[in-house]
Amino acid sequence: EFCWLRHTILRHLSMKSALTAVVWPSNEELSNATLFGRPLWHWTLEAVRSLEPERILLISKGRPQDIPADVQLTRRSQLADQVSRSKGKVLLLSAELPCLQPRSLKRLVAATRKTSRCLSPAGTTICLTDQDWEKALAGISSRAGLMAVIQKLAPTPIQAADGDDLLMVRHLRDWATALAIFRRRKCEKLLASGVLIEDPSTVHIDPGVHIGRGTLVRGWVVIEGDTRIGPHCEIGSFSHIIDSVVGPGTLLLDHCFIRASRIGKEAQLGPFTHLRPESDVGTKAKVGNFVELKKTTLGYGSKAPHLTYLGDANIGRGVNVGAGTITCNYDGQAKHLTVIGDGAFIGSDVQLVAPVSVGKGAYVAAGSCIVEDVPAESLALARGRQVVKPGWVRKNNAKKRRTRKG
């Protein structure tokens, strides 16, 4: 008996609802405009998917890009035949409703029993009964717009769950409003989950970003794309993070720009740190002000505190990189690798001309230009010998005076 009950429940949960959803663009060019990197109508589609409809139809004259596998393209002239093969309710909605939330659609479908219903205000979303769908076909075949069809049927309106749900993106100003709505909602969700956002009105966080509990996001921060930030971090003002991973307990001071990179646990970056793609900053590492990393790995506990460029480099654990150090990784035709072993010490104002390696525990003296490999536990000096000329200034000034008199 238990097995029969379990099978019945699982079968019920796996069944799609007897509902056909028709996504109807009113402006195909605008509905294909991107919002957070995805076509506008894809966000409308997300709300539709929450209903688990039997079919999803997209009316289109051409063939839009990035058509998901569960969406079937159709033309308005073919719609009657397409939907006539389905049983149950028909959901008609505009494609340009990116802010529409699943709870509004679920409320609409649940309320549609003997009479058709629409989300108030009417004109963008309607759920039709079988009988009203037959009436709607006449309007569709006459090439009337979606709004005209809905208004002719005069369905009973119900309120959307949120006043912003039915924002119709008709113009670029609507597109900008939709961006602001997404970001406000994201901040509200993060605050509810225990993320501290100092000034939500100035913070821009994309919908797909994940931030752990107890993290503090200060004002004027932008976090975009597929970014994941662990718990108990701090993101300083005017920092910008794109498609990156930030480990738990990490501190980003003001004005950090990070793209397609990874930062380990309890690291410290900034202010004014730039991580270019494929950089990897290890646990408890430190990257300071005016330091740029490109396709570089900085090991556990290593430090590059000031005024440094590290490109195409593998840097081990516990390494100190002095101020003004540069990896000279480009020879005009190709990029080359610099390798620095664990525990090495790189003095200030050093040029490491790649391809080159510095062994474990080695020291490189300040001001050196390193063009050959440095063995482990060695000291490398590559700079001109200092020359001191006592009394030179006095003699030089006397010479100048004689020249002027002559």
Side-chain angles (χ1 to χ4, degrees):
E1 183 176 353
F2 173 77
C3 292
W4 173 84
L5 179 62
R6 179 175 178 272
H7 174 74
T8 302
I9 292 172
L10 290 174
R11 185 179 64 179
H12 173 74
L13 291 174
S14 65
M15 287 178 62
K16 292 184 179 293
S17 59
L19 172 73
T20 298
V22 181
V23 181
W24 189 322
S26 61
N27 183 332
E28 289 201 26
E29 183 178 353
L30 193 55
S31 66
N32 282 308
T34 58
L35 187 71
F36 298 108
R38 299 169 59 186
L40 198 71
W41 66 274
H42 277 213
W43 295 104
T44 309
L45 185 63
E46 278 204 2
V48 171
R49 282 197 180 106
S50 69
L51 302 173
E52 296 187 343
E54 189 175 52
R55 303 171 71 201
I56 301 175
L57 302 177
L58 174 68
I59 299 176
S60 178
K61 294 178 182 177
R63 184 169 183 82
Q65 295 180 346
D66 302 322
I67 300 295
D70 60 342
V71 175
Q72 181 179 344
L73 287 179
T74 187
R75 295 182 179 272
R76 189 189 302 196
S77 58
Q78 302 169 333
L79 186 59
D81 292 336
Q82 294 280 359
V83 180
S84 63
R85 295 199 295 269
S86 301
K87 295 182 180 180
K89 304 169 186 176
V90 177
L91 177 69
L92 287 174
L93 73 163
S94 296
E96 299 87 3
L97 295 171
C99 300
L100 186 60
Q101 296 182 97
R103 55 181 178 166
S104 286
L105 284 184
K106 290 176 181 178
R107 179 184 295 182
L108 173 65
V109 173
T112 304
R113 295 185 178 90
K114 295 182 180 180
T115 60
S116 296
R117 300 272 188 158
C118 70
L119 291 177
S120 180
T124 54
T125 307
I126 182 172
C127 189
L128 298 168
T129 61
D130 292 339
Q131 297 79 10
D132 281 346
W133 171 243
E134 297 297 328
K135 299 177 187 177
L137 289 178
I140 293 171
S141 61
S142 66
R143 307 187 70 81
L146 173 61
M147 295 183 185
V149 172
I150 294 176
Q151 289 169 0
K152 186 175 181 180
L153 292 171
T156 304
I158 65 170
Q159 288 293 322
D162 188 307
D164 295 325
D165 277 19
L166 299 181
L167 172 71
M168 182 82 167
V169 178
R170 297 184 179 91
H171 310 283
L172 288 178
R173 63 177 177 269
D174 300 325
W175 176 83
T177 301
L179 282 174
I181 291 169
F182 268 83
R183 286 166 171 159
R184 173 180 58 78
R185 288 176 176 174
K186 182 63 177 181
C187 283
E188 290 171 353
K189 288 180 181 178
L190 290 172
L191 287 165
S193 69
V195 176
L196 308 172
I197 302 177
E198 195 171 62
D199 186 359
S201 65
T202 65
V203 170
H204 291 177
I205 303 177
D206 279 6
V209 170
H210 175 81
I211 303 178
R213 185 178 183 85
T215 286
L216 170 62
V217 180
R218 298 201 178 275
W220 304 102
V221 166
V222 177
I223 307 174
E224 299 182 284
D226 184 20
T227 294
R228 298 183 174 274
I229 299 175
H232 306 294
C233 296
E234 181 175 335
I235 312 299
S237 296
F238 301 100
S239 292
H240 192 163
I241 307 171
I242 307 169
D243 296 328
S244 297
V245 176
V246 180
T250 286
L251 170 62
L252 301 187
L253 298 173
D254 296 352
H255 296 278
C256 290
F257 185 81
I258 299 163
R259 181 191 289 273
S261 295
R262 182 189 175 280
I263 303 169
K265 301 177 183 178
E266 300 176 17
Q268 179 176 323
L269 281 76
F272 296 98
T273 293
H274 184 188
L275 298 190
R276 291 166 59 188
E278 299 184 57
S279 293
D280 190 333
V281 177
T283 296
K284 296 187 177 181
K286 181 179 180 180
V287 183
N289 51 296
F290 304 104
V291 176
E292 178 181 345
L293 270 63
K294 175 256 176 186
K295 205 173 182 180
T296 288
T297 299
L298 188 67
Y300 178 98
S302 291
K303 298 182 293 182
H306 337 272
L307 303 159
T308 293
Y309 171 70
L310 300 172
D312 298 283
N314 289 338
I315 300 171
R317 299 163 63 95
V319 172
N320 182 86
V321 180
T325 294
I326 299 172
T327 56
C328 306
N329 56 328
Y330 185 50
D331 63 6
Q333 294 182 337
K335 302 292 178 68
H336 299 283
L337 181 66
T338 297
V339 178
I340 303 176
D342 296 346
F345 183 94
I346 311 298
S348 298
D349 194 28
V350 167
Q351 296 89 50
L352 298 164
V353 182
V356 72
S357 66
V358 177
K360 291 184 179 182
Y363 272 57
V364 176
S368 295
C369 181
I370 302 300
V371 297
E372 298 178 356
D373 292 348
V374 179
E377 299 183 352
S378 300
L379 170 63
L381 299 94
R383 60 193 183 202
R385 182 177 297 277
Q386 181 173 323
V387 176
V388 178
K389 296 184 177 181
W392 179 89
V393 173
R394 177 173 51 79
K395 294 175 183 176
N396 189 58
N397 289 343
K399 183 178 179 181
K400 288 180 180 178
R401 286 194 295 270
R402 288 195 299 271
T403 302
R404 285 197 294 268
K405 288 178 181 180

